[in-house]
Amino acid sequence: GVVADIRTAQGTAEFCRADCGEPAEIERMIAFATDRFGRLDVLHNNALFTVVDRIGDITLEGWKKTLDVSLTGYWYAIKIALGPMLKQGKGAIINTASVSGLAGDYTLGAYNAVKAGVVNISRVTGIEYARKGIRCNAICPGPILTPPLKQLGETKPEVFARIREAIPMGRYGKPQEIANVALFLASDEASFVTGAYFVVDGGLWAHSGMPSLSGEGPDW
């Protein structure tokens, strides 16, 4: 896995399994990191659970679990991480949001709601702790070629192709292209960046969705 790859490259890595929908597990995760390394420099919230359905058809149970994991879990991890970061006087928090937190998507209402929340909690954390040496930012990926989308390509190739064609660059993003932005935000190269969100989507969100009035498309 990733830990083995890092160790093979002569790096130091530890792994802690945690359910980000359970506050006690989040506490244990942060304690694991501080116990092992004596400090906490970076927190990257990247967990996700969501239900997919029309707003009127989402179950209360599904809505609550989506919020518990994908928004409350982020907030609680931030809350717990702030303890050691405040003691250090320095820290970087990165939250994975989405372009779906900036606009609406059919049948993704629960996902849209939590990702919009992630964008704004990143802003609030950024401004509240800006004078304490702690930065907080969000990344808003577009469609990235992760296992769920690869599976979509196998089960619904026509939908997979339609999404790809909606991206002005004409391709899906690569996980490394999101990691590169996260690395920047975690580093001192981003020392004056806080309370911001970064769209990484191949131009998807830049397009209004309006069909071309001239009939010309991206392949001119």
Side-chain angles (χ1 to χ4, degrees), residues 16-175:
C16 175
R17 186 179 184 88
D19 181 347
C20 293
E22 297 292 335
E25 292 280 283
I26 291 173
E27 292 172 13
R28 186 173 63 83
M29 176 183 71
I30 300 297
F32 176 88
T34 54
D35 289 347
R36 288 292 193 283
F37 299 103
R39 58 186 292 121
L40 184 68
D41 294 296
V42 180
L43 169 69
H44 185 180
N45 281 314
N46 193 44
L48 174 67
F49 173 86
T50 191
V51 289
V52 178
D53 218 334
R54 293 185 179 89
I55 285 292
D57 297 324
I58 295 172
T59 65
L60 182 58
E61 179 186 23
W63 177 268
K64 285 183 174 181
K65 185 173 180 182
T66 300
L67 263 66
D68 283 347
V69 174
S70 306
L71 184 56
T72 303
Y74 278 41
W75 160 74
Y76 199 65
I78 291 169
K79 175 182 172 67
I80 301 304
L82 283 170
M85 287 183 176
L86 284 168
K87 289 179 183 177
Q88 299 162 190
K90 186 177 182 181
I93 299 169
I94 304 160
N95 296 318
T96 301
S98 172
V99 289
S100 294
L102 308 174
D105 302 288
Y106 294 103
T107 71
L108 289 181
Y111 184 71
N112 292 136
V114 295
K115 290 306 186 182
V118 170
V119 169
N120 245 13
I121 201 173
S122 302
R123 288 179 173 132
V124 174
T125 305
I127 64 172
E128 287 186 342
Y129 294 89
R131 298 193 182 190
K132 301 296 183 182
I134 298 168
R135 300 182 297 101
C136 183
N137 296 286
I139 303 175
C140 295
I144 307 300
L145 205 54
T146 52
L149 274 177
K150 289 180 180 178
Q151 185 178 12
L152 180 69
E154 296 171 0
T155 58
K156 297 182 179 179
E158 70 288 349
V159 175
F160 183 86
R162 199 156 62 237
I163 294 171
R164 184 185 60 228
E165 286 308 306
I167 301 169
M169 282 191 178
R171 66 173 177 87
Y172 282 90
K174 303 171 186 175

Side-chain angles (χ1 to χ4, degrees), residues 211-218:
S212 171
L213 298 179
S214 68
E216 293 187 19

